[in-house]
Amino acid sequence: MNTPAGPPPAVRPYGDTTGDGMVQLSFTLPLPHGALAEGTALQLARQMGMDRPLLVHARPVGTEFTFCVVYGPVVHEVELDSVDVVEREYPLLSSQEVDEGLHNNLGRDCVVVGACIGTDAHTVGIDAILNIKGFAGQKGLEYYHSMRVVNLGAQVSVPDLVHRAVRENADAVLVSQAVTQRDAHLTNVRELSAELDAAYAGRPRPLLVVGGPRFDPAMTADLGVDRIFGRGTTPDDVASYLVHALTVGRSRVRELDLDPDLDESVHDGESATVGEDAEETAGTTVSADRSLL
């Protein structure tokens, strides 16, 4: 019986034959359609490492732009040992395991507050994660018996989201960002992280989880978030992460509570604030049919 061979130490793209390096690339040039635009497209492809590129498509976009598609072999290969990826460090759980994990560790419902922030009105991603109808055959977080989902919808300002997170005594804040022009998604998330830090000064803040098609999962520290989810994320990915993260987080809080050198005034202030928030949220009714992430 033949044992399947492992991956090679380095790879190139596959087109017609293994290792031929063939790729197809599309882009738009700020030039009117014509010979200059087509020649520029080929020169750009060469400078990007494409050997003997072919221009297989070029069409005008209005009067001042040209959309181009080039095809050809790249000269580069990728050493697999040099590739850094963010692996999932927690198991995927069933809905029953999620409910048991959260109730056993929190002793109450997990409060999730979410929104699309800034000018972002694209709720497809947040709907897929939080709406009870879910995505890819999976129920959203509103379905779980162990979660209370507060849905703020689209175009929510950062101060409003932070205020609601404090008011609801949130365990996790979920944000979806699809608008990425001029890196608006990065600016918005950094602002949210800073305002959460300020609002929760002296006490643990909620988990900050962000998602969107153009986030780099390796940028958690740079953005000041706990987790970044990208394309293809399903509700059970997020639910399983919340169980994992909140279990670890509560363990750390218990360690702090047992530390005799910890400033008692921090705990006193924390308890008073949480009590005030609990009073504010008493009797609050949360709609379960609005979409979040």
Side-chain angles (χ1 to χ4, degrees), residues 53-131:
L54 299 175
L55 182 65
V56 297
H57 180 83
R59 290 292 183 272
V61 181
T63 59
E64 299 180 359
F65 298 88
T66 303
F67 176 73
C68 306
V69 179
V70 295
Y71 179 74
V74 293
V75 299
H76 307 295
E77 65 178 16
V78 177
E79 300 287 342
L80 298 187
D81 287 343
S82 69
V83 178
D84 293 324
V85 295
V86 177
E87 299 281 1
R88 177 168 50 83
E89 72 279 16
Y90 53 88
L92 288 178
L93 305 176
S94 67
S95 59
Q96 181 178 347
E97 290 171 327
V98 168
D99 286 336
E100 291 175 352
L102 289 175
H103 278 150
N104 290 342
N105 286 286
L106 296 180
R108 54 172 174 77
D109 287 349
C110 172
V111 180
V112 178
V113 177
C116 296
I117 57 176
T119 60
D120 201 325
H122 300 79
T123 61
V124 173
I126 206 165
D127 284 349
I129 301 302
L130 295 180
N131 193 296

Side-chain angles (χ1 to χ4, degrees), residues 86 189-190 193 197 205 208 210 216-228:
V86 177
V189 170
R190 288 191 179 102
S193 177
D197 283 340
R205 78 176 195 184
L208 178 53
V210 301
D216 179 353
M219 290 184 67
T220 53
D222 178 49
L223 296 179
V225 304
D226 296 286
R227 188 77 180 190
I228 295 173

